[in-house]
Amino acid sequence: MTASTTAAQAGDRPPPAPALRRAVRTYLDHLTVERGLSANTLTSYRRDLDRYLDTLAADGVDDLAAIGPAQIAAHVARLREGDADHPPLSAASAARAASAVRGLHRFAVREGIVGHDASRDVRPPAPPRRLPKALDVTEVVALLEAAGPDGPDPGPLSLRDRALLEFLYGTGARISEAVGAAVDDLDLPAGTATLHGKGGRTRLVPIGGYAVAALDTYLVRARPGLVAAGRGTPAVFLNARGGPLSRQSAWTILRRAARRANLPVDGPRAVSPHTLRHSYATHLLDGGADVRVVQELLGHASVTTTQVYTLVTVDRLREVYATSHPRARG
C-alpha cells in the first residue's frame, strides 16, 4: 500500500486532477445525450467514476494516458475489499463499477483523448448467476384475478388494477414502460402496443386477448371518470386524482393483489413488478417460442440477456423429469 493510498484512507485525499474530471464529465454528457441513459443509471455511473477518480488521485495519477491495466485491476480489487470509508462491494456491484470504468476508457480512445484502452484486458468480477423468479401459470391467473374487478359493479380503480396487471403479463412490459404508456400507444383492434424502453428504444408488441379485454373495459368504463378528476393526461393508467400512475403505486397494486392471491410479498420468492415480465418470458419459452423472438418482445439489446430464461425452463424440465420418469432416481 502506497503512502498516498494510506493518506486517502485517513481522510486526507488529494483532489482528482482537472483533466481527469473533464474526461469523466465529457463521458457522462455523452451517456446523457447520445446514449439516453436513465437518470438512475447516470447517478450510478457518476458515483462509480467519482470513486475511481479518488483512487487515481490517491495514487498520484493525473492523466488517463498514464493509467495501466494493473491500476484498474487494483481499483476493482479495492472495491471488493472495501476500506475505512466504504464497505466491500458485492461481485455484482463491483462488476457494475468496473463497467463504468471500462466505458470511460473506451470512450477516451474513441475521442482521441488517449491512444490505447488500458481497461481492455481487465475482467470484472463475475457475479453469481441469479435465475429470474417466475410464477407458474396457475399462480399468474390467481394474481390477475385477485387484482379485481370485484362484484357486479366494480369501481374504476379495480378495473384499472386488473387492466394494469393484465397489460404487464400480456405484453412483458417493464413497469416503467407500462406506467409511461400513452393511450395513443395502444391499438386494441389490432391487439398491439408500442412500448418505450431503455435508451429511447421503442418496440411494437402484441397484446394478449385477456389484456385487450381488460384494457377495453378500463378505457371505456373507468378511465374517463379518472381523467375528469385531473387536468388531462395521455397516460393510460391514472391514479385517483387523474394524474399518471407512478411506479410506486403500481408496485402497491401488485403487492395488494399478491396478498389476496396468497403469494409471497417478502423474502426471496416475493412477487415484484418484474415478476410478471419474468413469467411472460418463461412461459413463452416453455410454449416453444424462439429465444430471439422473445428477445425482441422483451426489448433486450442482446440475446445473451434473454438466454437466462432458457436456464429457467431447463430447470423446470429437470424437475418434471425427476418427478415423472420411473427411472429418474437410482
Side-chain angles (χ1 to χ4, degrees), residues 212-283:
V212 168
L215 285 164
D216 186 61
T217 300
Y218 162 67
L219 292 173
V220 172
R221 295 173 52 189
R223 189 178 181 279
L226 295 176
V227 169
R231 299 181 180 180
T233 172
V236 173
F237 299 106
L238 307 180
N239 58 32
R241 299 179 302 280
L245 190 71
S246 68
R247 294 174 61 177
Q248 291 77 12
S249 295
W251 174 284
T252 300
I253 291 167
L254 182 66
R255 286 174 65 88
R256 184 166 59 236
R259 285 194 181 95
R260 289 177 180 172
N262 294 318
L263 295 172
V265 295
D266 297 300
R269 289 283 300 168
V271 174
S272 73
H274 234 52
T275 300
L276 288 176
R277 179 170 161 87
H278 293 328
S279 303
Y280 167 89
T282 302
H283 298 164

Side-chain angles (χ1 to χ4, degrees), residues 68-69 72 101-102 105-106 109 116-124:
I72 299 173
V101 170
R102 294 177 71 186
H105 282 275
R106 286 195 298 268
V109 172
H116 70 285
D117 180 1
S119 70
R120 184 178 59 186
D121 297 325
V122 177
R123 294 289 173 260

Side-chain angles (χ1 to χ4, degrees), residues 158-207:
S158 179
L159 293 174
R160 178 207 62 192
D161 295 353
R162 178 62 178 266
L164 172 64
L165 298 196
E166 288 279 9
F167 183 78
L168 288 170
Y169 180 62
T171 64
R174 301 176 177 92
I175 193 71
S176 58
E177 295 169 343
V179 299
V183 173
D184 287 345
D185 292 326
L186 303 180
D187 187 347
L188 296 188
T192 61
T194 300
L195 301 179
H196 303 274
K198 293 181 178 180
R201 295 188 296 270
T202 61
R203 66 188 187 281
L204 187 69
V205 299
I207 310 176

Side-chain angles (χ1 to χ4, degrees), residues 134-154:
L135 303 175
D136 62 35
V137 175
T138 58
E139 289 173 325
V140 170
V141 171
L143 178 68
L144 297 176
E145 291 181 347
D150 297 322
D153 187 24

